[in-house]
């Protein structure tokens, strides 16, 4: 592995940076060869977009309506829901929004050959845990490949175990370890779970080609950098968290507990409540005929000690993101509290 860090290029990087980068690349089955460290999810998503723009020489970006990519200036505008930007009196001219899985619109937009990157969430956090399927995701990847567009998976929410697989793309059947270039995104962005939410840290996993286009020579390394990117505290924290997740078999636990929650909800509530998502990246939907509003249920759940979250892009749904250590007892508490919250 190259022993230099882009943040202090061209000096050697710290052992802990190498170790964490190595760990992430190993988890990806060496599908990627380089890691760029940043601090927040939004910063890493924007970094990936800058890398795509530099690598392709193109100017524009496609994101999906109802997606969420963070609230820094550019990522706010990649976020498809106008809720986040309507108070602003400006918008960039190079972000195009397409309805998720509207391939006719995608093909039209990508045909312009102006698009540097398509940014997508394999399993979305803020739009009712909507997810791509093996079919639609591979169609998206193939379309990007045939038009020279970089495909960026924003796994800030769904990555590193939450979906019951290490990467969200695996949960939707894309297979991060595939040897077929067109079957996997060009870059994957991870963050939140990397330090268990404790220390700000995000990372972009990328391939040699895109990395070299940006950082290939000392004079080139101007496109992106971050004072705190790769800081030692975050590196150590990332190493410890990934080790705990691995040793505790928490990815497997996320898959098992997600399945159990699904079974328990189907058994207790029939069609009154449906569960969507993958692993522990979940969303509850209430039957429209129920007397209780989603807000009533949400507030009752909070009172009962269950943290759930309304969805900006799906007001009839409640986001559930239990920690990866969630166990059988906690599932029973969740089901009981939900039952109480549904009482008229
Ligand atoms: C999918 C996704 N992308 C990007 C972000 C932005 O991350 P941050 O708040 O760390 O900037 C989030 C945060 O919720 C997210 O869920």
């Amino acid at each position: 592995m190259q022993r230099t860090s882009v943040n202090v290029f061209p000096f050697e990087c710290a052992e802990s940076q190498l170790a964490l980068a190595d760990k992430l690349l190993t988890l990806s089955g060496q599908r990627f060869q380089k890691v760029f460290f940043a601090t927040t999810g939004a910063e890493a998503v924007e970094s990936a977009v800058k890398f795509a723009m530099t690598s392709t020489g193109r100017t524009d970006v496609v994101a999906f309506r109802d997606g969420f990519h963070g609230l820094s200036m550019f990522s706010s505008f990649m976020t498809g829901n106008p809720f986040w930007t309507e108070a602003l009196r400006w918008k960039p001219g190079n972000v195009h929004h397409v309805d998720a899985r509207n391939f006719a619109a995608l093909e039209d937009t990508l045909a312009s050959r102006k698009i540097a990157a398509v940014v997508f969430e394999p399993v979305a956090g803020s739009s009712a845990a909507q997810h791509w399927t093996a079919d639609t995701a591979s169609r998206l990847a193939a379309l990007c490949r045939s038009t020279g567009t970089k495909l960026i998976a924003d796994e800030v929410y769904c990555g590193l175990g939450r979906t019951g697989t290490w990467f969200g793309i695996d949960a939707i059947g894309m297979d991060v370890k595939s040897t077929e270039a067109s079957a996997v995104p060009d870059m994957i962005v991870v963050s939140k779970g990397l330090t268990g939410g404790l220390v700000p840290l995000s990372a972009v996993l990328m391939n040699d080609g895109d990395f070299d286009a940006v950082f290939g020579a000392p004079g080139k390394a101007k496109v992106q950098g971050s004072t705190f990117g790769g800081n030692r505290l975050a590196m150590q924290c990332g190493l410890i968290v990934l080790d705990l997740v691995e040793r505790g078999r928490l990815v497997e636990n996320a898959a098992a507990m997600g399945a159990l929650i699904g079974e328990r909800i189907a058994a207790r509530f029939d069609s009154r409540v449906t569960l969507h998502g993958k692993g522990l990246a979940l969303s509850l939907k209430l039957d429209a005929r129920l007397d209780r509003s989603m807000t009533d249920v949400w507030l009752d759940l909070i009172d009962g000690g269950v943290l759930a979250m309304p969805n900006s892009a799906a007001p009839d749904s409640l986001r559930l993101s239990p920690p990866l250590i969630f166990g059988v007892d906690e599932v029973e508490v969740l089901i009981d509290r939900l039952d109480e919250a549904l009482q008229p």
Side-chain angles (χ1 to χ4, degrees):
M1 183 193 293
Q2 183 170 316
R3 298 187 63 85
T4 50
S5 160
V6 294
N7 289 310
V8 287
F9 195 84
F11 304 110
E12 284 222 336
C13 67
E15 285 303 319
S16 57
Q17 290 175 335
L18 270 180
L20 186 57
D22 199 27
K23 182 77 213 166
L24 289 168
L25 297 177
T26 303
L27 289 176
S28 83
Q30 307 300 338
R31 181 62 186 70
F32 300 93
Q33 301 87 41
K34 291 290 191 295
V35 177
F36 176 83
F37 288 115
T39 45
T40 64
E43 188 190 1
V45 172
E46 290 196 9
S47 302
V49 168
K50 281 172 129 185
F51 300 153
M53 286 176 169
T54 311
S55 179
T56 59
R58 297 180 180 178
T59 50
D60 290 19
V61 179
V62 165
F64 294 97
R65 281 200 187 96
D66 293 342
F68 186 86
H69 301 293
L71 295 178
S72 58
M73 190 59 101
F74 196 74
S75 65
S76 297
F77 286 99
M78 280 194 284
T79 287
N81 184 346
F83 174 84
W84 301 105
T85 47
E86 59 202 4
L88 306 175
R89 291 277 165 270
W90 174 86
K91 65 175 184 177
N94 60 346
V95 180
H96 308 261
H97 284 113
V98 174
D99 283 327
R101 296 164 278 282
N102 179 346
F103 279 95
L106 254 181
E107 275 165 25
D108 264 5
T109 314
L110 266 55
S112 70
R113 297 288 202 270
K114 282 197 313 193
I115 309 299
V118 172
V119 184
F120 82 117
E121 288 170 87
V123 181
S126 50
S127 49
Q130 279 184 45
H131 54 81
W132 293 72
T133 62
D135 252 18
T136 52
S138 64
R139 209 171 148 193
L140 173 68
L143 183 57
C144 284
R145 195 72 47 179
S146 68
T147 53
T149 310
K150 301 292 172 188
L151 181 59
I152 298 171
D154 178 348
E155 298 211 5
V156 167
Y157 171 71
C158 70
L160 299 179
R162 172 151 299 284
T163 54
T165 50
W166 274 103
F167 292 96
I169 59 165
D170 286 315
I172 59 164
M174 247 183 157
D175 187 5
V176 75
K177 295 184 179 160
S178 168
T179 47
E180 208 185 311
S182 62
V184 179
D186 298 280
M187 295 176 221
I188 297 187
V189 180
V190 291
S191 181
K192 298 181 191 289
L194 185 47
T195 53
L198 215 59
V199 174
L201 175 61
S202 52
V204 182
L205 278 64
M206 59 201 294
N207 59 46
D208 277 328
D210 290 326
F211 181 91
D212 287 344
V214 181
F215 298 108
K220 272 184 155 185
K222 287 180 195 151
V223 166
Q224 187 63 322
S226 176
T227 302
F228 295 108
N231 75 78
R232 309 305 183 266
L233 177 64
M235 297 297 101
Q236 291 298 348
C237 192
L239 283 165
I240 291 168
V241 166
L242 291 183
D243 186 50
L244 287 173
V245 170
E246 218 162 22
R247 280 194 293 126
R249 301 186 63 77
L250 298 186
V251 180
E252 293 81 350
N253 186 62
M257 290 307 114
L260 183 61
I261 294 172
E263 279 165 28
R264 300 290 291 111
I265 284 185
R268 181 87 73 103
F269 305 112
D270 298 315
S271 57
R272 287 186 296 151
V273 180
T274 45
L275 188 72
H276 301 265
K278 297 273 182 193
L280 292 177
L282 296 171
S283 179
L284 290 173
K285 194 165 181 338
L286 293 195
D287 189 298
R289 287 162 300 182
L290 278 177
D291 284 342
R292 305 229 73 202
S293 75
M294 192 44 94
T295 308
D296 296 336
V297 173
W298 171 47
L299 293 175
D300 281 2
L301 283 176
I302 298 271
D303 279 349
V306 174
L307 282 179
M309 203 174 145
N311 274 310
S312 54
D316 61 348
S317 299
L318 268 188
R319 191 200 308 197
L320 277 185
S321 308
L324 302 198
I325 53 170
F326 215 56
V328 175
D329 291 349
E330 283 85 12
V331 172
E332 295 312 324
V333 172
L334 166 67
I335 301 299
D336 286 346
R337 296 291 179 274
L338 185 55
D339 207 350
E340 287 159 22
L342 290 173
Q343 302 307 319

